[in-house]
């Protein structure tokens, strides 16, 4: 069965410093992986997706993620955090024809 | 471009009352449609999905039901709400046939009192 584990429930960084949100996946075959962001009381927005093409995936708002099969990881990074990046981030894996499995989320706090 | 609407944005209902949440999608045809629930401090739980009019798949047994009376309309209902039905309900759509990404509506905050 496919699943994801987000290793940190809360990450706090200072504005202008790098962001690292960690995600490990479990899959019996090459997975399709996604990162979504949710701002308070809002719907989710797709940041980026990996679908077995390039292992380094670039998304919106300067975020990127690298698929590492040897480490079963798909960590989300950004070189420099902005205040507007403060939100909840979800790592997601496709589990079937119509199903996505969402991680439990990582809350990112950006300190001015 | 495609847009997805949900209403109401917030709702406070007493236990035992009925529920109807509506979701509509514009700018696309024959989308796959989804209802999720997000409980406080938890991830998203898929409740229902639909690949066409009248075609509903339920992911978890519960007090809720879903219907798709039109191609771009998806309704979440309950005959009698429970306290445990409180949460943030999100509707989403994806372009068929592949589920490579889903696009989410703004959500409905439901509080059952």
């Amino acid at each position: 069965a496919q699943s994801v584990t987000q290793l940190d429930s809360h990450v706090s960084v200072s504005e202008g410093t790098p962001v690292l949100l960690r995600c490990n996946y479990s899959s019996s075959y090459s997975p399709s992986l996604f990162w979504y962001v949710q701002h308070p009381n809002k719907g989710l927005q797709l940041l980026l997706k990996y679908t077995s093409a390039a292992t380094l995936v670039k998304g919106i708002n300067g975020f990127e993620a690298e698929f590492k099969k040897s480490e079963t990881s798909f960590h989300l990074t950004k070189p420099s955090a902005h205040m507007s990046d403060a939100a909840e981030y979800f790592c997601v894996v496709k589990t079937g024809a119509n199903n996505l499995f969402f991680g439990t989320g990582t809350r990112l706090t950006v300190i001015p | 471009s495609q847009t997805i609407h949900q209403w109401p944005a917030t709702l406070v209902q007493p236990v035992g009352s009925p529920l109807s949440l509506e979701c509509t999608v514009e700018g696309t045809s024959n989308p796959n449609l989804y209802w999720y629930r997000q409980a406080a401090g938890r991830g998203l739980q898929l409740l229902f999905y639909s690949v066409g009019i009248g075609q509903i798949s339920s992911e978890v047994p519960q007090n809720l039901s879903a219907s798709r009376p039109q191609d771009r309309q998806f309704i979440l209902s309950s005959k009698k709400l429970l306290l445990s039905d409180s949460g943030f309900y999100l509707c989403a759509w994806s372009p068929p046939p592949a589920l490579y990404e889903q696009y989410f509506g703004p959500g409905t905050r439901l509080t059952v009192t």
Side-chain angles (χ1 to χ4, degrees):
Chain A
Q2 285 66 248
S3 68
V4 292
T5 301
Q6 292 185 245
L7 302 172
D8 307 292
S9 60
H10 188 202
V11 170
S12 184
V13 302
S14 296
E15 189 176 17
T17 65
V19 176
L20 170 63
L21 305 183
R22 299 183 296 166
C23 174
N24 284 4
Y25 70 89
S26 173
S27 178
S28 55
Y29 51 84
S30 183
S32 294
L33 293 160
F34 312 82
W35 276 98
Y36 281 83
V37 61
Q38 183 181 29
H39 288 90
N41 294 310
K42 299 292 184 183
L44 279 73
Q45 181 184 20
L46 180 68
L47 276 179
L48 50 82
K49 60 184 177 184
Y50 167 77
T51 54
S52 70
T55 56
L56 181 61
V57 181
K58 294 186 182 299
I60 62 172
N61 301 335
F63 284 94
E64 62 182 38
E66 186 171 7
F67 175 76
K68 291 187 176 180
K69 186 175 181 179
S70 61
E71 299 176 10
T72 61
S73 68
F74 190 58
H75 302 334
L76 182 70
T77 60
K78 184 174 180 177
S80 175
H82 295 162
M83 294 300 297
S84 60
D85 294 329
E88 187 96 16
Y89 291 81
F90 293 93
C91 183
V92 181
V93 63
K94 178 183 173 184
T95 61
N98 290 293
N99 292 356
L100 297 179
F101 180 93
F102 286 76
T104 52
T106 298
R107 181 166 299 280
L108 176 65
T109 299
V110 182
I111 304 167
Chain B
S1 63
Q2 300 86 7
T3 55
I4 179 169
H5 304 279
Q6 283 186 248
W7 64 92
T10 61
L11 190 60
V12 180
Q13 293 282 99
V15 168
S17 64
L19 173 73
S20 181
L21 303 181
E22 188 164 345
C23 170
T24 59
V25 181
E26 296 177 357
T28 187
S29 296
N30 195 30
N32 291 342
L33 296 172
Y34 310 84
W35 277 112
Y36 289 88
R37 175 169 57 203
Q38 185 178 30
R42 303 184 66 179
L44 273 69
Q45 179 186 37
L46 178 64
L47 301 176
F48 301 95
Y49 70 88
S50 171
V51 299
I53 295 174
Q55 300 179 61
I56 309 294
S57 296
S58 174
E59 288 298 300
V60 292
Q62 60 215 325
N63 184 41
L64 302 169
S65 62
S67 62
R68 184 170 178 174
Q70 301 180 42
D71 180 45
R72 289 167 289 179
Q73 183 185 31
F74 205 24
I75 297 172
L76 184 68
S77 304
S78 174
K79 292 182 179 178
K80 291 185 178 182
L81 283 169
L82 306 172
L83 284 174
S84 58
D85 292 325
S86 293
F88 194 48
Y89 288 83
L90 289 157
C91 181
W93 74 275
S94 69
L99 171 66
Y100 284 124
E101 55 204 75
Q102 293 183 357
Y103 301 92
F104 285 79
T108 295
R109 173 76 58 193
L110 172 65
T111 303
V112 182
T113 59

